[in-house]
Amino acid sequence: MTLKLPIYLDNSATTRVDPRVLDKMLPFLTENFGNPSSRSHSFGWVSEEAVENARIQVANTVGCDSKEIIWTSGATEATNLALKGAANFYQDKGKHIITLKTEHKATLDSIRELERQGFDATYLTPNSEGILDINALLAAIRPDTILISILFVNNEIGVIQDIATIGNICREKGIIFHVDAVQAVGKIKFNLSELNVDLMSFSAHKVYGPKGIGALYVRRKPRIRLIPQIHGGGHERGFRSGTLPTHQIVGMGEAFRIASLEMDDEIPRIKKLRDKLLNGLSQIEEIYINGSMEKRIPHNLNVSFNYVEGESLMMAIKDIAVSSGSACTSASLEPSYVLKALGRNDELAHSSIRFTIGRFNTEEEIEYAITLLQNKVANLRDLSPLWEMFKEGIDIEHYQWQEHGPRDIILHQ
Amino acid sequence: MSYSNKVIDHYEKPRNVGALDKSDPQVGTGMVGAPACGDVMKLQIKVGLDGKIEDAKFKTYGCGSAIASSSLVTEWLKGRTLDEAATIKNSEIAEELELPPVKIHCSVLAEDAIKAAIADYKNKH
């Protein structure tokens, strides 16, 4: 089998639409194009039936009632609706919100907006493995805490939080609990009927479905109320107005159905690939794994390559498509805030690579990635004065670097 | 980030990578930048008895533009006197490599590395 380059190892960014999903979607763009809200003809009825069928597929995958699923344009909108909708509705009870520093930006920026509206937020720091300490959460809860939002699986480092325990605490204290489960679906088993979670955000395109569709789970027993954030025709029982994109919804339903159906086979296969990648990369000196390896989905490996600069590393490995914690991928000069929250220094945060393995990756691709990384890291280290210093036994951490205005600096050693 | 062909060429085939003996009185060593800033350049020059730079070596920890900037200046330095070397401006480096505005600091660092290497050499004499 010949390899097709570049190799896609960025499945936490997005995934290829599964061909089986696409097959289900296409008829809803052509012959069954009706508006699911049209009650007066069969075009509408067929679309509505497809939407409701997909709602059941999603609900079955996550273990809830289909009436508890609200379609949104994606997980970012679902999270905005959950956090702003709940905070606005329950603000008379209190104005304090708790979250993690390593949350997705959709959560962090929604809460920042709520802070601008007068809410008070606590951003908890996870431990060096990326895991939230339950005692730290308990200590942060106040009488006026109304909402807690925690990421089920972290998008950068793949670590899994103890949602069951946090849910029990929230229920006991009467606090609304939102969970961003975008990276959890199809990757770890969970069942909403067994979890005290009130609101949960989902996305289709991380699970081999199409982009532009997501969902919010809104618990009915006990009932969670939300202030809608998008107004209009009163779709989705008033929670979220806007014509439903039938083909996208059908795609999400089918993607979730396949995920739950094939999880038991897919997870061990992906874990085998990840372990192979880990073993291969472990032969490189001075690498650091970011985040807990025990409490982690098998799809994710996040590694820092010491004494190699992130952007040049990305340039060197352009035959594989991965993400980096380096600032080079964004306009800012700040490296990954997730790795910084774990206590990683700037250099290690900059030189981090996130590999995320998916349904369509093969063993050959992983082997190619290992060889590529081994060679390119060696090349860049040959070029690195820091590697030379490390090999000479110089303490780089305490070396007197001339960070500013180095115009008249002379090196004396 | 799209790089110019010249940056990619220097990045993929860096010129004059290596190290000279920093205790050699003929050798001047300049190291500028800091790991926390994402760039460290080490530039070394070897000055011949005729006062001209006969060899130059570099090692750089940094992005492709930083590697290219230091690689380029090692080519430019050879055969120059110290006074001539000191006239190399970051703007010339940036122009030659067609660096985008966000990468101008790489050329500044390369100019600083030249000046530091010259200063180290002069300090030995």
Side-chain angles (χ1 to χ4, degrees), chain A residues 219-291:
Chain A
R219 180 175 286 279
R220 283 162 71 92
K221 289 176 192 162
R223 188 172 174 200
I224 300 300
R225 313 277 292 263
L226 300 173
I227 302 278
Q229 303 296 308
I230 293 180
H231 303 91
H235 307 76
E236 297 299 277
R237 289 178 287 117
F239 277 118
R240 200 279 189 183
S241 290
T243 298
L244 293 173
T246 313
H247 62 296
Q248 304 285 83
I249 290 169
V250 166
M252 181 162 176
E254 180 67 3
F256 272 48
R257 187 189 71 82
I258 293 171
S260 57
L261 198 68
E262 300 188 348
M263 236 172 109
D264 287 342
D265 295 329
E266 189 165 286
I267 291 176
R269 193 182 75 80
I270 285 175
K271 186 175 185 301
K272 205 174 141 217
L273 294 179
R274 199 270 311 270
D275 289 345
K276 188 181 183 77
L277 181 62
L278 176 61
N279 285 337
L281 297 183
S282 296
Q283 289 166 29
I284 303 174
E285 273 181 271
E286 281 291 304
I287 67 157
Y288 295 85
I289 306 293
N290 297 307

Side-chain angles (χ1 to χ4, degrees), chain A residues 209-395:
Chain A
K211 293 164 189 62
I213 185 72
L216 180 66
Y217 158 79
V218 184
R219 180 175 286 279
R220 283 162 71 92
K221 289 176 192 162
R223 188 172 174 200
I224 300 300
R225 313 277 292 263
L226 300 173
I227 302 278
Q229 303 296 308
I230 293 180
H231 303 91
H235 307 76
E236 297 299 277
R237 289 178 287 117
F239 277 118
R240 200 279 189 183
S241 290
T243 298
L244 293 173
T246 313
H247 62 296
Q248 304 285 83
I249 290 169
V250 166
M252 181 162 176
E254 180 67 3
F256 272 48
R257 187 189 71 82
I258 293 171
S260 57
L261 198 68
E262 300 188 348
M263 236 172 109
D264 287 342
D265 295 329
E266 189 165 286
I267 291 176
R269 193 182 75 80
I270 285 175
K271 186 175 185 301
K272 205 174 141 217
L273 294 179
R274 199 270 311 270
D275 289 345
K276 188 181 183 77
L277 181 62
L278 176 61
N279 285 337
L281 297 183
S282 296
Q283 289 166 29
I284 303 174
E285 273 181 271
E286 281 291 304
I287 67 157
Y288 295 85
I289 306 293
N290 297 307
S292 166
M293 278 309 288
E294 290 77 43
K295 296 175 181 171
R296 188 189 198 105
I297 54 166
H299 306 62
N300 173 297
L301 192 62
N302 190 311
V303 187
S304 290
F305 298 87
N306 210 1
Y307 311 118
V308 173
E309 192 273 336
E311 186 174 337
S312 57
L313 181 59
M314 289 294 280
M315 218 173 143
I317 59 169
K318 56 182 186 300
D319 282 346
I320 59 172
V322 290
S323 282
S324 167
S326 167
C328 70
T329 49
S330 67
S332 83
L333 286 170
E334 283 299 305
S336 159
Y337 66 93
V338 172
L339 300 188
K340 294 280 281 177
L342 267 56
R344 286 289 191 225
N345 65 27
D346 280 4
E347 295 93 295
L348 283 175
H350 272 298
S351 73
S352 71
I353 300 285
R354 180 188 73 175
F355 304 87
T356 43
I357 301 167
R359 182 174 293 166
F360 303 111
N361 287 121
T362 63
E363 205 164 331
E364 290 77 18
E365 290 178 332
I366 300 298
E367 281 162 7
Y368 183 93
I370 293 168
T371 309
L372 184 73
L373 261 298
Q374 286 175 344
N375 291 338
K376 296 298 181 179
V377 169
N379 288 349
L380 286 169
R381 282 179 175 169
D382 283 343
L383 214 67
S384 168
L386 302 180
W387 182 248
E388 182 181 271
M389 291 168 79
F390 167 70
K391 284 287 165 184
E392 287 170 1
I394 296 167
D395 180 0

